[in-house]
Amino acid sequence: MPTVPGFAVEINHVSYTYPAWGVDGATTPALEDVNFTIDEETKLGILGPNGGGKSTLIKLILGIIKPTAGSVRVFGYSPIEARERGLIGYLPQRIEADRDWPINVEQVVGLGRACRIKPWKKLGADDHAAIAKAIELVGLEDLASRPIGALSGGQLQRVMIARAIAGNPKLLVLDEPTVGVDIAGQQRFGKLIETLHRELDLTVILVSHDMRAIAAVADRVACLSRTLHFHDTPDGLTPAVLAQVFAHDVAGVFGDIHIDAHLAETCDDPSHAHQHQHDCGCSENEGDA
Amino acid sequence: MNEIAPAIIAALVIALMGGALSIFVVLKRLAFIGQGISHAAFGGVGIALLLGVHGATTAGAMGQLAIVVAFSIFAALGIAALSRTNQGRTDTAIGVVLSASMALGFVLFTFVESKHDHDEHGHAAQGHEDQHHLIEEILFGNILDTTWPKASIAIAVAIAILVVVWFIRRQLIFWAFDEPVVDAYGLHSKRITYIFLILLAIAVVMAMQIAGVVLAAAMLVLPGAGALNLSAKLRAVFVYSILIAVGGAAIGMLVGFEAGLPIGPTIVLIQSVAYLLTLIAKAVSARLRS
């Protein structure tokens, strides 16, 4: 049963350490004492360096892994309950679906909804209406019956967004959705998410290492590098905070934002600064284990 | 005709099951796992022989089938577990399980045979020949000695598999299409993987009744592979796959009985020809369109 109404996600003092026999045998926690809440119908951007625990946080919210310490609630439910109730829509970073499949846009969008329908029942009028609306919201109504093999990468991503919203979720989780997309593309993506947010009263979580991708979508920002450093509106995100999150990596990530690397040391005690440097050095694959 | 009726009906129902499953096998790229399972079944036959369970009587045949099914499921789950600890290298896992099971099968056959020789000195040569005949039957199938009890079990199991697949069709399609995301949609990808591997293991053993160890996996690949050349619509692909599977089995049996050829390999040959024809049809229609 829902505990505290009004919060889409509650992360209560969550830590997570990957098992020692994992990818590289490392036992440093991927997340340490992360503690924050996400209000319903906000668009939260979670900014952090590669290896900072973003993917781990997503897996915890989706209930794919359980926290080593602390607890996660999604609309008051455990994450597994929440996703079984269809409250969560999810757009993965890499689209791994096979393009050679004999399946069209409408069928792909329907998958997420159909898999919850009893086997002896057919898709009803409300299902077809929800699928059609999802396709319309992402602007693919002209391509509804086209095989997915005939779509561009951007169109396929919109199909996957439509699939995520076709089940009427209340929370939409986007994992690095605009990697390798130019600024104009990020702006268009931001507009699309804003439309979905307005039309469907969605709470949106967008995770990225790219400040511009976050700025295009989010109205609130949290910074994550093993632990949560900041949780506020984007205006309050000062270079000092960014430097703390990204340690010495800042200049590399934000080529056009000038930040003095010394700030990193003034914001943080030396041992911590060293930790961040270590975290930032990890490969991106760390979080995908 | 009455004598071969159970064989014909069993072959058609098993082909139908193969036609339905083969779509998932091909789309999920599990064709080689099917090979691994069917060869592992040979190890299962060896174990059944060692335990003194063999197909001479109906009860013996049932016992043998149960042992082979259990061993094949064990091998399928073993392949899944091995490839997970092996950074997802499924081909290595299959290679290991396939070779180990074949080796185990041959070692046990030889061991049981040598024990047999010791017991009955005078009939050593005769026993040897039986053994070779038995191995050939297991490898390439022999549906001609299918009796009604054996056929009924194969038919019932094949229909049960079809019913389960129909029940979980939507989850199976989602899983086969995009496994990494299904958990986020409230499904359990690991559970679906295990269920499908178990279904596949049982299906392979049923197909073995017709086509034997070497060719069983072909019946679970060829129809789907051919159907995918003919259409880009999911529903049509299912229909074509079942047509190729059942049609191939029917024509294979007709040709096999007329010409006195081994039935299982003939069915697989006919399905292979059908697959080639779909490739040609695909190439021709692509050229006509351009």
Side-chain angles (χ1 to χ4, degrees), chain A residues 135-159:
Chain A
I135 294 173
E136 197 191 314
L137 279 172
V138 299
L140 289 178
E141 57 271 41
D142 294 339
L143 304 177
S145 54
R146 183 153 315 177
I148 58 154
L151 301 181
S152 72
Q155 288 169 335
L156 189 61
Q157 188 186 44
R158 282 191 278 158
V159 172

Side-chain angles (χ1 to χ4, degrees), chain A residues 29-31 45-58 93 175-176 179 206-211 214 221-230 237 241-254 268 272-288:
Chain A
L31 291 176
I46 298 178
L47 178 68
N50 293 332
K54 300 188 302 292
S55 301
T56 306
L57 186 64
I58 286 189
Q93 179 179 354
D175 188 359
E176 299 270 12
V179 172
L206 174 131
V207 157
S208 183
H209 67 277
D210 184 347
M211 180 66 190
I214 300 265
V221 180
C223 295
L224 187 74
S225 175
R226 202 158 60 87
T227 188
L228 201 76
H229 289 264
F230 176 81
L237 195 59
V241 175
L242 285 175
Q244 193 181 357
V245 173
F246 285 91
H248 300 289
D249 231 18
V250 174
V253 177
F254 307 101
D268 215 338
H272 236 112
H274 178 76
Q275 281 281 6
H276 293 316
Q277 198 173 3
H278 169 78
D279 286 347
C280 295
C282 288
S283 75
E284 192 169 347
N285 290 334
E286 181 269 339
D288 294 335

Side-chain angles (χ1 to χ4, degrees), chain B residues 40-273:
Chain B
F42 189 71
V45 179
I47 288 178
L49 267 184
L50 182 71
L51 297 173
V53 184
H54 45 74
T57 61
T58 301
M62 303 299 137
Q64 189 187 44
L65 195 63
I67 292 171
V68 175
V69 165
F71 192 77
S72 300
I73 291 174
F74 176 72
L77 299 182
I79 288 170
L82 258 184
S83 50
R84 209 168 322 113
T85 57
N86 212 357
Q87 280 123 31
R89 291 201 183 110
T90 311
D91 51 348
T92 308
I94 295 167
V96 169
V97 171
L98 187 153
S99 325
S101 305
M102 285 301 272
L104 177 72
F106 273 110
V107 165
L108 291 180
F109 266 93
T110 316
F111 176 73
V112 172
E113 184 186 17
S114 71
K115 228 176 70 182
H116 199 75
D117 284 350
H118 262 282
D119 294 346
E120 306 169 42
H121 258 302
H123 304 290
Q126 177 65 36
H128 212 73
E129 215 160 82
D130 279 353
Q131 204 72 34
H132 279 280
H133 186 60
L134 181 63
I135 290 183
E136 197 184 300
E137 264 184 25
I138 294 164
L139 290 181
F140 296 103
N142 179 15
I143 54 164
L144 288 180
D145 67 349
T146 306
T147 53
W148 270 120
K150 259 173 102 176
S152 323
I153 291 211
I155 292 166
V157 171
I159 290 173
I161 289 177
L162 284 171
V163 169
V164 173
V165 168
W166 182 82
F167 244 77
I168 60 171
R169 65 194 182 281
R170 289 172 180 143
Q171 289 90 337
L172 267 184
I173 290 170
F174 198 178
W175 164 82
F177 176 63
D178 202 358
E179 182 177 354
V181 305
V182 297
D183 283 293
Y185 286 84
L187 303 181
H188 301 270
S189 59
K190 262 191 199 157
R191 200 185 292 165
I192 301 174
T193 305
Y194 288 138
I195 290 174
F196 190 74
L197 284 178
I198 290 170
L199 290 176
L200 189 61
I202 301 171
V204 164
V205 178
M206 293 305 127
M208 264 175 61
Q209 315 283 314
I210 299 179
V213 164
V214 179
L215 303 172
M219 295 189 68
L220 289 155
V221 174
L222 287 170
L228 282 163
N229 286 330
L230 294 180
S231 177
K233 292 198 173 94
L234 206 48
R235 225 171 273 257
V237 167
F238 268 91
V239 173
Y240 285 132
S241 180
I242 283 164
L243 280 179
I244 293 172
V246 178
I251 296 171
M253 281 189 285
L254 268 176
V255 172
F257 286 130
E258 280 300 315
L261 300 171
I263 304 301
T266 310
I267 291 176
V268 171
L269 265 182
I270 299 284
Q271 291 188 348
S272 304
V273 169

